[in-house]
């Protein structure tokens, strides 16, 4: 069965960087785009971007320009999301989510979420 | 890209039907059939409920249905049940291979 298992919670200071991982299993990792979505406490879902695990090509929301990097390691079926220059408003649960199919931008499987807390 | 507009909350009694709207623009909801809906219970990851405006994932109850008219998509839940109480989010494809979510709607089953 398809599973996306994310890394554990992180506590970071403002200005630091964080890396969240998402290990996929139960399907061909390189066959499906992986997206990242975050949710601040008590707030809604916010789309961050995607990576094509096959090519490594990425795309992200303009809001995160210059701060977010999405990578993957196909040998271990794992996607990564790096966010730099953290601010307090980056405190959120970060989810990875598998895109259903090429060209069909919706998400059929989600990771369990990773809480990133940014606090001095 | 601004978030799609959803009502903050809706409510209904068990057995009733409710509809949640999701309003965007011709650049997102109105321009594509790539609208999806997600259910999220507290502390849980979102769950896909509707995709491509009105399609249900395999195994999902037919009490959930979707539609779209112009720049507004809608999710209808019929025969409300207590377990339907959750937050619901719409999502749409936007130009340049990006995506935008709605602000979310809290459904209360009275």
């Amino acid at each position: 069965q398809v599973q996306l298992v994310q890394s554990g919670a992180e506590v970071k200071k403002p200005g630091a960087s964080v890396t969240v991982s998402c290990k996929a299993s139960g399907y061909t990792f390189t066959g499906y785009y992986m997206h990242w979505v975050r949710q601040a406490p008590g707030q809604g879902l916010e789309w961050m971007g995607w990576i094509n695990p096959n090519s490594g090509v990425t795309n992200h929301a303009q809001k995160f320009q210059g701060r977010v990097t999405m990578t993957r390691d196909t040998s271990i079926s794992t996607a990564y999301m790096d966010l730099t220059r953290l601010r307090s408003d980056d405190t959120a649960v970060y989810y990875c989510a598998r895109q259903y199919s090429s060209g069909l931008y919706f998400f059929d499987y989600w990771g369990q979420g990773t809480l990133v807390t940014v606090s001095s | 890209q601004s978030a799609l507009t959803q009502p903050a909350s809706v409510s209904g009694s068990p057995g009733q039907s409710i509809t949640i709207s999701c309003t965007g623009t011709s650049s997102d909801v109105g321009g594509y059939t790539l609208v999806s809906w997600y259910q999220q219970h507290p502390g849980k990851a979102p769950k896909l409920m509707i995709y491509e405006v009105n399609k249900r994932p395999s195994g999902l109850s037919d009490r959930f249905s979707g539609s779209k008219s112009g720049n507004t998509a809608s999710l209808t839940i019929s025969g409300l049940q207590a377990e339907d109480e959750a937050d619901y989010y719409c999502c749409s494809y936007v130009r340049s291979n990006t995506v935008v979510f709605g602000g979310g709607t809290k459904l209360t089953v009275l």
Side-chain angles (χ1 to χ4, degrees), chain A residues 96-119:
Chain A
C96 59
R98 190 184 83 161
Q99 180 175 314
Y100 177 80
S101 180
S102 177
L104 298 180
Y105 284 76
F106 53 89
F107 316 117
D108 55 353
Y109 290 94
W110 295 66
Q112 83 277 18
T114 297
L115 175 61
V116 175
T117 303
V118 182
S119 174

Side-chain angles (χ1 to χ4, degrees), chain B:
Chain B
Q1 177 64 39
S2 299
L4 306 175
T5 301
Q6 297 182 232
S9 63
V10 298
S11 62
S13 299
Q16 289 186 329
S17 295
I18 63 95
T19 296
I20 300 172
S21 62
C22 169
T23 301
T25 69
S26 58
S27 296
D28 39 64
V29 173
Y32 307 93
T33 59
L34 297 174
V35 176
S36 52
W37 289 89
Y38 302 86
Q39 175 192 66
Q40 187 181 35
H41 287 109
K44 300 295 186 181
K47 175 185 177 183
L48 177 66
M49 305 301 284
I50 294 288
Y51 64 96
E52 291 187 272
V53 176
N54 56 13
K55 297 179 181 178
R56 278 187 307 274
S58 175
L60 195 74
S61 170
D62 60 4
R63 297 188 299 108
F64 293 85
S65 62
S67 62
K68 189 183 82 163
S69 178
N71 297 336
T72 298
S74 299
L75 172 71
T76 297
I77 308 174
S78 59
L80 268 181
Q81 298 179 2
E83 59 261 36
D84 298 333
E85 185 162 295
D87 294 327
Y88 291 84
Y89 294 90
C90 62
C91 179
S92 176
Y93 176 84
V94 193
R95 64 194 180 287
S96 303
N97 299 323
T98 62
V99 164
V100 64
F101 282 96
T105 298
K106 181 177 179 59
L107 168 62
T108 300
V109 180
L110 301 171

Side-chain angles (χ1 to χ4, degrees), chain A residues 1-81:
Chain A
Q1 72 284 20
V2 173
Q3 280 193 304
L4 302 176
V5 179
Q6 299 183 222
S7 49
E10 303 264 12
V11 179
K12 297 291 184 180
K13 293 191 182 303
S17 300
V18 69
T19 298
V20 179
S21 68
C22 171
K23 182 171 177 59
S25 62
Y27 72 98
T28 302
F29 176 65
T30 53
Y32 298 79
Y33 284 26
M34 191 72 77
H35 291 244
W36 291 90
V37 177
R38 75 177 186 179
Q39 185 172 36
Q43 303 300 309
L45 301 174
E46 180 177 31
W47 179 77
M48 298 183 68
W50 54 255
I51 182 168
N52 178 343
N54 187 45
S55 65
V57 172
T58 63
N59 192 18
H60 54 266
Q62 189 68 23
K63 172 177 181 176
F64 301 101
Q65 182 71 31
R67 288 210 301 143
V68 70
T69 303
M70 296 174 189
T71 58
R72 89 293 189 214
D73 184 339
T74 58
S75 69
I76 55 172
S77 300
T78 300
Y80 302 91
M81 189 282 298

Side-chain angles (χ1 to χ4, degrees), chain A residues 77-91:
Chain A
S77 300
T78 300
Y80 302 91
M81 189 282 298
D82 296 329
L83 191 61
T84 62
R85 304 195 302 276
L86 289 169
R87 308 184 294 251
S88 58
D89 62 358
D90 290 318
T91 294

